[in-house]
């Protein structure tokens, strides 16, 4: 597995002036209160005193389609995921539309669970706060980390309420997404990004009961329409070029209206957010020694859709479980290797869909019985 590792946490780390008399002590600091961070805390040894740091409110308010794979649902079922987390319809099939080739096809075997992301975040946080020894700092930002003189602990600087706080910890987990401050502060290059835009409407057009995905081989583009009760989430990911993302999103909305009859009253204005766009396994960084990266902070996301929640849940759980071993860094890397078959599959698919000729061959040998014009 090609992953980024470092030999010293000192490289690229901004040096802070620490006052030992003001140092707060924890066994584990988790930066990021999303699915990756919550799963890390839930799977960490129960004796650990944990500090969870989140730059926004808890739960967060982010762009997310809220679609779970079967594997992620199985993982969450161990914690008793409640029915209130799911949206309607609970089970959705995925249909893929090729905007350039004029094909569409259902994807066999791809049945997803439809959730409301904010409800999932809140439920996971409630589970986290039920464990002993947990402290949470919302609206706080990670600034830097450096090894102690002994090398077996970290000194972490955190900005909170206009002040800098110094925390000493045995372990640090970066679960803070694509624009990870933990990854960046340690001098590790950020993974490639997509710019995503998503809005929410009450549909006045045809009913939608499937997870609709759209591709266009002219540009690096991925679009989606996901039913959420009487609402629809409409979003798209772009390569982040200089073209106006708002204008490109407008063209996509026009296509949905003209070709699929999808239109309606806007209930949540379109928002823009960066997501990880995995181009190479070399972008994946697991961390080193007593610092770990999970989810999109580690570069783990679908190479062809940019979707990250399923990798976040899996890698977060793996990071937490690794802490109950004699060599957590090595154990965590071994755990991450379990995700590589899926990573490789999605990267191969991404290479296929970027080339029209390859896509035509894929259509010819696809297991679906028939294709329809989009």
């Amino acid at each position: 597995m090609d992953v980024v590792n470092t030999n010293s946490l000192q490289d690229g780390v901004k040096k802070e002036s620490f006052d030992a008399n003001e140092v707060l002590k924890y066994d584990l600091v988790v930066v990021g209160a999303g699915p990756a961070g919550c799963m890390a805390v839930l799977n960490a040894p129960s004796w650990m005193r944990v500090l969870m740091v989140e730059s926004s409110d808890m739960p967060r308010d982010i762009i997310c389609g809220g679609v779970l794979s079967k594997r992620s649902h199985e993982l969450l079922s161990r914690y008793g995921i409640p029915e209130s987390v799911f949206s309607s319809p609970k089970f959705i099939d995925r249909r893929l539309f090729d905007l350039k080739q004029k094909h569409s096809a259902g994807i066999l075997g791809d049945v997803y669970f439809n959730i409301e992301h904010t409800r999932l975040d809140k439920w996971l946080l409630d589970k986290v706060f039920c464990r002993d020894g947990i402290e949470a700092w919302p609206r706080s930002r990670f600034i830097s980390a450096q090894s102690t003189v002994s090398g077996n602990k970290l000194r972490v600087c955190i900005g909170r309420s206009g002040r800098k706080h110094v925390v000493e910890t045995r372990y640090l987990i970066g679960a803070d997404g694509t624009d990870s401050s933990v990854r960046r502060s340690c001098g590790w290059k950020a993974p490639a990004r997509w710019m995503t835009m998503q809005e929410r409407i009450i549909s006045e057009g045809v009913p939608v009961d499937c997870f609709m995905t759209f591709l266009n081989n002219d540009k690096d583009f991925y679009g989606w329409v996901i039913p959420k009760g009487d609402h629809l989430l409409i979003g798209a990911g772009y390569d982040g070029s200089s073209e106006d993302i708002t204008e490109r999103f407008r063209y996509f909305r026009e296509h949905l209206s003209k070709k699929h009859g999808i239109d309606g009253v806007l209930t949540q204005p379109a928002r823009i957010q960066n997501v990880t766009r995995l181009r190479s396994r070399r972008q994946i960084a697991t961390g080193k020694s007593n610092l770990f990266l999970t989810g999109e902070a580690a570069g783990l996301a679908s190479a062809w859709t940019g979707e990250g929640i399923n990798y976040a849940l899996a890698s977060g759980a793996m990071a937490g479980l690794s802490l109950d071993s004699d060599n957590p860094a090595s154990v965590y890397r071994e755990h991450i290797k379990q995700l590589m078959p899926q990573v490789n599959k999605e990267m191969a698919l991404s290479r296929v869909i970027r080339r029209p000729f390859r896509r035509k061959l894929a259509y010819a040998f696809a297991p679906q019985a028939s294709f329809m014009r989009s």
Side-chain angles (χ1 to χ4, degrees), residues 1 318 329-339:
M1 178 178 62
M318 291 171 176
S330 177
V331 171
Y332 181 52
R333 284 196 297 272
E334 290 301 312
H335 280 319
I336 292 297
K337 286 181 180 179
Q338 299 174 22
L339 302 178

Side-chain angles (χ1 to χ4, degrees), residues 171-230:
Y171 301 105
L172 171 64
I173 294 179
D176 48 341
T178 300
D179 301 311
S180 171
S181 297
V182 177
R183 179 170 180 146
R184 186 171 59 249
S185 71
C186 294
W188 300 336
K189 186 178 179 180
R193 301 175 185 177
W194 249 0
M195 294 180 67
T196 61
M197 196 166 191
Q198 179 176 276
E199 66 183 21
R200 193 176 185 118
I201 69 170
I202 296 179
S203 177
E204 294 181 339
V206 297
V208 175
D209 60 357
C210 65
F211 174 18
M212 303 173 70
T213 57
F214 300 83
L215 299 173
N216 187 342
N217 61 280
D218 281 348
K219 300 180 182 295
D220 191 2
F221 166 83
Y222 175 79
W224 62 90
V225 176
I226 308 174
K228 301 288 181 182
D230 58 354

Side-chain angles (χ1 to χ4, degrees), residues 109-126:
D110 275 349
V111 177
Y112 294 88
F113 291 84
N114 193 12
I115 64 167
E116 289 287 353
H117 191 271
T118 53
R119 296 179 198 167
L120 177 68
D121 268 17
K122 184 179 184 305
W123 170 68
L124 284 173
L125 282 170
D126 288 343

Side-chain angles (χ1 to χ4, degrees), residues 77-295:
S77 294
R78 303 172 192 172
Y79 303 90
I81 181 171
E83 286 297 314
S84 60
V85 167
F86 298 99
S87 189
S88 177
K90 180 178 179 180
F91 306 101
I92 51 177
D93 297 316
R94 183 169 69 185
R95 182 164 291 278
L96 174 65
F97 297 86
D98 189 328
L99 301 183
K100 192 66 175 180
Q101 301 294 336
K102 305 301 181 184
H103 284 108
S104 74
I107 302 178
L108 296 181
D110 275 349
V111 177
Y112 294 88
F113 291 84
N114 193 12
I115 64 167
E116 289 287 353
H117 191 271
T118 53
R119 296 179 198 167
L120 177 68
D121 268 17
K122 184 179 184 305
W123 170 68
L124 284 173
L125 282 170
D126 288 343
K127 299 288 289 187
V128 165
F129 295 149
C130 284
R131 69 159 280 170
D132 294 331
I134 179 72
E135 186 173 348
W137 289 5
R139 297 178 295 282
S140 302
R141 66 185 178 92
F142 169 89
I143 298 174
S144 64
Q146 67 180 60
S147 297
T148 59
V149 175
S150 63
N152 61 351
K153 292 186 178 181
L154 295 170
R155 289 269 178 101
V156 182
C157 184
I158 300 169
R160 184 190 188 202
S161 302
R163 295 183 55 194
K164 289 184 179 180
H165 299 265
V166 180
V167 174
E168 186 175 276
T169 180
R170 297 178 61 176
Y171 301 105
L172 171 64
I173 294 179
D176 48 341
T178 300
D179 301 311
S180 171
S181 297
V182 177
R183 179 170 180 146
R184 186 171 59 249
S185 71
C186 294
W188 300 336
K189 186 178 179 180
R193 301 175 185 177
W194 249 0
M195 294 180 67
T196 61
M197 196 166 191
Q198 179 176 276
E199 66 183 21
R200 193 176 185 118
I201 69 170
I202 296 179
S203 177
E204 294 181 339
V206 297
V208 175
D209 60 357
C210 65
F211 174 18
M212 303 173 70
T213 57
F214 300 83
L215 299 173
N216 187 342
N217 61 280
D218 281 348
K219 300 180 182 295
D220 191 2
F221 166 83
Y222 175 79
W224 62 90
V225 176
I226 308 174
K228 301 288 181 182
D230 58 354
H231 288 72
L232 294 176
L233 288 185
I234 299 176
Y238 303 92
D239 58 6
S241 68
S242 58
E243 294 185 55
D244 183 2
I245 184 174
T246 303
E247 187 67 12
R248 295 170 74 180
F249 187 69
R250 185 178 67 82
Y251 287 140
F252 177 51
R253 292 287 285 106
E254 288 178 353
H255 172 84
L256 293 177
S257 178
K258 292 178 181 178
K259 298 295 183 179
H260 299 277
I262 296 175
D263 213 340
V265 178
L266 188 69
T267 59
Q268 186 180 72
R271 296 184 297 165
I272 297 175
Q273 179 177 300
N274 290 329
V275 299
T276 295
R277 182 69 160 131
L278 188 62
R279 295 294 194 189
S280 166
R281 292 199 314 181
R282 293 184 181 276
Q283 295 178 356
I284 300 175
T286 60
K288 184 73 172 183
S289 185
N290 47 357
L291 188 155
F292 310 93
L293 295 175
T294 62

Side-chain angles (χ1 to χ4, degrees), residues 35-70:
C38 287
M39 292 302 290
V41 174
L42 291 174
N43 286 274
S46 59
W47 54 265
M48 283 188 168
R49 188 182 179 206
V50 181
L51 173 63
M52 176 173 274
V53 178
E54 169 57 47
S55 60
S56 63
D57 292 321
M58 297 184 184
R60 309 162 308 154
D61 181 19
I62 65 170
I63 291 178
C64 180
V67 177
L68 288 182
S69 67
K70 290 181 181 179

Side-chain angles (χ1 to χ4, degrees), residues 308-325:
I309 187 172
N310 295 297
Y311 284 112
L313 291 167
S315 61
M318 291 171 176
L321 290 170
S322 300
L323 301 181
D324 198 20
S325 66

